[in-house]
Amino acid sequence: MSTPVMSGTRLAGIIGTGPWPGPGPAYDALTTRISRAIGDGRIPVGARLPSEREVAAATGLSRTTATRAFAKLREQGFVHTRRGSGSVVRLPEVPGGRIDHLLTPTGSNEAEIDLTCTASVAPPWLLEAYERAVANVHAYLPGTGYYPSGLPVLREIIAERFTARGVRTDPDQILITSGAFGAVAIAVRALSEGRGRVLIESPTYPNAIATLEGAGASLIPYPLEQGPDGHHWDIDAMDHIARQTRVRSAYLIPDFHNPTGALLPEEQRPRLGAMLRRNAIVPIFDESLVELGLDGDPTPTPMAAFVPDSITAGSTSKIFWGGLRVGWLRIPTHRIDSMASTRLSLDLGAPVLEQLVAVELMRDHDAIVDEYRAKLRAARDSLAAQVRSHLPSWEVIVPGGGMALWCRLPEERSGALAIAARNHGLGLVSGPNFAPAGGLDRWIRLPYTVSETDLDQVGSRLAAAWDDALTFTDRVPAGRTRTVA
């Protein structure tokens, strides 16, 4: 395969042509812009950069400046230059690799296109946010560094966002956690220590299944209904299950549900809230994806507005970066003490620096999320078109938001497909991982959060893997594997 060549004009369109601010020399600014564009995927790994002369002409800088910038990029590991071959983009070596083997169900392999995880690379703003946070961290150094409730400034920002969305919230009701996963773990333990029956959607987020089961809960699945326009909630059916089983708590994802992408309509939210109150159910609402509506609709009203005794979990991981392990709980006032004591039994708080980074990003929230939504919208439409073109027998319903397609296969071969995909450089998670009570081997989740270069290859690789999966004669076990994000 030939190496894609990037023109000077294209590079300048990505990184800009000035001004070149900063206290240091211009070559430092040029180095930073190019390295950030490589890091967030705007300049694809494997592309050949234009010559130093072209870069200078396109950006309005001197050739000496461009030469020194390329030298720094080579030193930092972002570029490899060979005589006669030009400068090819790569990523710096990371000791131990970029993928943790515990995260992916089939083990880590950096050569694969990883579709096991709904998470994106860092936005261009992230490094600047870290730099601002480091400049502010000195104010916290005289203290112990333990903030089990979270930094007050971050709690205030999150409380203000809840209030603006329609549910009045005091900063004291916000508990900062280590991601949404950590938030859910705290909430589950605090609610009767996780014991008893818990209503949960099927399919659902695999980590929630593991967390609830690990706490000793008995899961009562509610199957989401599939219609021609996607999945939806039948509240009467949910009410029937709740009354029959006498559940007292629930874990629900009403906002761009993982993995289906379904959104509980605004007009149904009061009905769901009334049903939960009528059955004395204390729900945990997972809002990790609430900001990721991709079709221009307003951000949904928090379910906490309809169920005052509910607990809401949220996170920076999906909207900013997975490596920023900062999440939160919105807690009813009378449950603050029990949640706080449960939190202290697990850890002593999220790291101060990461909380300060979250503060900086939340202050630029709307600009960052708007750009991310546009990127996800284009990726969603691209992947849906590829699947329909390469795999016309699959059923694809384009979700209104979220980070993945939930595709229905013509046969129960999701497990076989996940195995076959590895031979074609794809990492997949089979449908049964999302099933609280088994099944779903006719479904596969396809995140569209990978880089544009990788995304363009998904359709053809999937088709080849599906052809292989159809040849499997032995039954592939359709059970759950490991934690997936």
Side-chain angles (χ1 to χ4, degrees):
M1 183 182 295
S2 61
T3 302
V5 180
M6 180 173 288
S7 69
T9 302
R10 173 62 179 151
L11 178 66
I14 293 172
I15 67 171
T17 57
W20 301 91
Y27 67 80
D28 275 345
L30 179 58
T31 302
T32 298
R33 289 193 187 186
I34 294 176
S35 63
R36 288 180 182 176
I38 293 170
D40 64 32
R42 288 176 292 155
I43 298 177
V45 173
R48 191 168 73 196
L49 293 177
S51 68
E52 295 161 13
R53 186 190 301 275
E54 287 182 84
V55 172
T59 58
L61 296 168
S62 70
R63 186 174 178 184
T64 299
T65 296
T67 298
R68 296 191 70 175
F70 271 58
K72 287 200 70 173
L73 290 167
R74 284 191 289 272
E75 179 183 333
Q76 294 171 358
F78 285 100
V79 165
H80 178 67
T81 303
R82 277 188 178 179
R83 185 179 297 277
S85 299
S87 297
V88 177
V89 172
R90 66 180 185 181
L91 290 175
E93 292 294 326
V94 175
R98 295 181 183 83
I99 302 172
D100 192 309
H101 73 282
L102 291 179
L103 187 62
T104 56
T106 54
S108 59
N109 182 349
E110 291 194 32
E112 287 183 347
I113 298 175
D114 184 12
L115 298 185
T116 67
C117 186
T118 52
S120 186
V121 298
W125 291 272
L126 188 70
L127 186 56
E128 295 175 5
Y130 265 96
E131 290 169 349
R132 294 196 299 270
V134 168
N136 293 328
V137 76
H138 68 275
Y140 296 85
L141 297 180
T144 64
Y146 294 124
Y147 288 88
S149 295
L151 297 185
V153 61
L154 180 57
R155 294 163 63 202
E156 288 172 7
I157 291 173
I158 294 168
E160 288 170 2
R161 291 198 64 82
F162 272 110
T163 300
R165 289 176 52 214
V167 55
R168 185 180 178 85
T169 302
D170 188 273
D172 287 342
Q173 293 179 258
I174 302 299
L175 182 68
I176 303 301
T177 65
S178 298
F181 190 13
V184 171
I186 293 168
V188 167
R189 290 195 179 207
L191 292 177
S192 302
E193 298 181 352
R195 292 190 293 271
R197 299 184 178 96
V198 178
L199 185 68
I200 188 169
E201 296 139 335
S202 180
T204 194
Y205 178 44
N207 283 346
I209 300 173
T211 299
L212 290 164
E213 289 180 337
S218 176
L219 305 188
I220 306 299
Y222 160 71
L224 288 180
E225 303 288 332
Q226 186 196 3
D229 57 347
H231 288 73
H232 64 275
W233 288 261
D234 183 335
I235 295 174
D236 290 337
M238 188 185 289
D239 185 25
H240 179 70
I241 292 173
R243 284 185 285 107
Q244 272 196 328
T245 57
R246 297 182 180 180
V247 295
R248 287 296 173 260
S249 57
Y251 170 82
L252 303 172
I253 313 175
D255 306 300
F256 308 115
H257 174 267
N258 184 1
T260 68
L263 174 67
L264 182 67
E266 196 72 27
E267 63 271 16
Q268 288 190 17
R269 291 177 178 246
R271 284 192 60 217
L272 175 59
M275 186 277 289
L276 294 168
R277 296 196 311 273
R278 186 168 59 249
N279 288 285
I281 296 172
V282 180
I284 302 168
F285 293 115
D286 190 336
E287 279 196 346
S288 298
L289 300 171
V290 70
E291 305 280 2
L292 298 183
L294 305 182
D295 293 331
D297 297 322
T299 303
T301 302
M303 282 303 304
F306 308 105
V307 190
D309 197 25
S310 64
I311 298 155
T312 303
S315 174
T316 60
S317 298
K318 302 301 185 184
I319 57 174
F320 297 137
W321 185 46
L324 188 63
R325 306 303 304 145
V326 176
W328 55 82
L329 287 171
R330 182 196 180 274
I331 306 165
T333 302
H334 70 281
R335 294 188 182 275
I336 291 175
D337 289 344
S338 65
M339 291 287 169
S341 61
T342 300
R343 196 289 158 59
L344 288 172
S345 72
L346 294 172
D347 65 53
L348 294 178
V352 171
L353 180 60
E354 273 60 38
Q355 291 189 64
L356 290 173
V357 174
V359 168
E360 296 298 330
L361 292 169
M362 292 293 282
R363 285 171 173 164
D364 291 332
H365 174 282
D366 291 348
I368 295 174
V369 173
D370 283 351
E371 182 171 312
Y372 188 36
R373 285 172 181 154
K375 179 181 176 181
L376 284 178
R377 187 183 310 119
R380 176 198 64 181
D381 295 345
S382 171
L383 183 56
Q386 287 185 61
V387 174
R388 286 169 173 163
S389 173
H390 289 278
L391 294 150
S393 64
W394 289 20
E395 185 178 333
V396 181
I397 298 174
V398 178
M403 308 174 83
L405 303 179
W406 182 240
C407 298
R408 191 173 190 269
L409 310 178
E411 299 182 27
E412 293 184 353
R413 290 182 178 265
S414 177
L417 176 61
I419 292 172
R422 300 204 72 188
N423 294 327
H424 298 276
L426 283 180
L428 296 176
V429 179
S430 63
N433 285 278
F434 303 87
L440 298 180
D441 198 34
R442 196 183 283 268
W443 294 87
I444 196 77
R445 186 185 72 170
L446 302 177
Y448 38 80
T449 52
V450 296
S451 70
E452 184 177 344
T453 303
D454 285 346
L455 191 70
D456 289 342
Q457 304 176 52
V458 169
S460 58
R461 295 193 190 193
L462 264 181
W466 180 243
D467 286 342
D468 285 355
L470 291 175
T471 68
F472 285 24
T473 55
D474 294 333
R475 182 179 181 274
V476 175
R480 296 200 300 271
T481 50
R482 297 183 193 163
T483 298
V484 292

